[in-house]
Amino acid sequence: MLLSGGDAVRVLDIGGPALVAVKIRNITITHGKAIGPGGNGGGIRNHGALTVENTTFLANTADFDGGAIGNQIGGVLVVTNSTIHKIRAEASPRG
């Protein structure tokens, strides 16, 4: 399965006021873009408890942190057997 932001929007935004548990596996997240204030996590912005398995992140960008995944304060993130290619975070060396 392929999920794309079309170089215009963030692909997924996980969580909210309550800690939500989400597992993502066996997909490609591509061409996400996080722009402006809150421009963290072009592929995924995580506020919950996120587990990512066997997933490819390709060509995701963010104006600030986390070209592939922006893990927010209070977010829990586990990534296994996944690949991250061609990401960019403009204002952060963390990508």
Side-chain angles (χ1 to χ4, degrees), residues 19-32:
L19 191 63
V20 175
V22 175
K23 181 182 271 189
I24 296 171
R25 61 186 212 184
N26 303 320
I27 65 172
T28 297
I29 295 175
T30 186
H31 293 278

Side-chain angles (χ1 to χ4, degrees), residues 62-83:
D63 280 353
F64 295 101
D65 290 336
I69 304 172
N71 195 51
Q72 306 302 295
I73 294 172
V76 177
L77 176 64
V78 176
V79 179
T80 57
N81 297 321
S82 297
T83 56

Side-chain angles (χ1 to χ4, degrees), residues 6-91:
D7 290 320
V9 297
R10 174 182 295 116
V11 179
L12 296 171
D13 204 347
I14 306 295
L19 191 63
V20 175
V22 175
K23 181 182 271 189
I24 296 171
R25 61 186 212 184
N26 303 320
I27 65 172
T28 297
I29 295 175
T30 186
H31 293 278
K33 187 171 186 177
I35 58 174
N40 300 313
I44 300 173
R45 180 169 59 181
N46 178 47
H47 296 273
L50 175 62
T51 301
V52 178
E53 298 176 349
N54 303 318
T55 294
T56 299
F57 292 86
L58 176 63
N60 295 287
T61 64
D63 280 353
F64 295 101
D65 290 336
I69 304 172
N71 195 51
Q72 306 302 295
I73 294 172
V76 177
L77 176 64
V78 176
V79 179
T80 57
N81 297 321
S82 297
T83 56
I84 300 173
H85 297 284
K86 298 182 182 179
I87 63 160
R88 187 175 72 224
E90 297 293 332

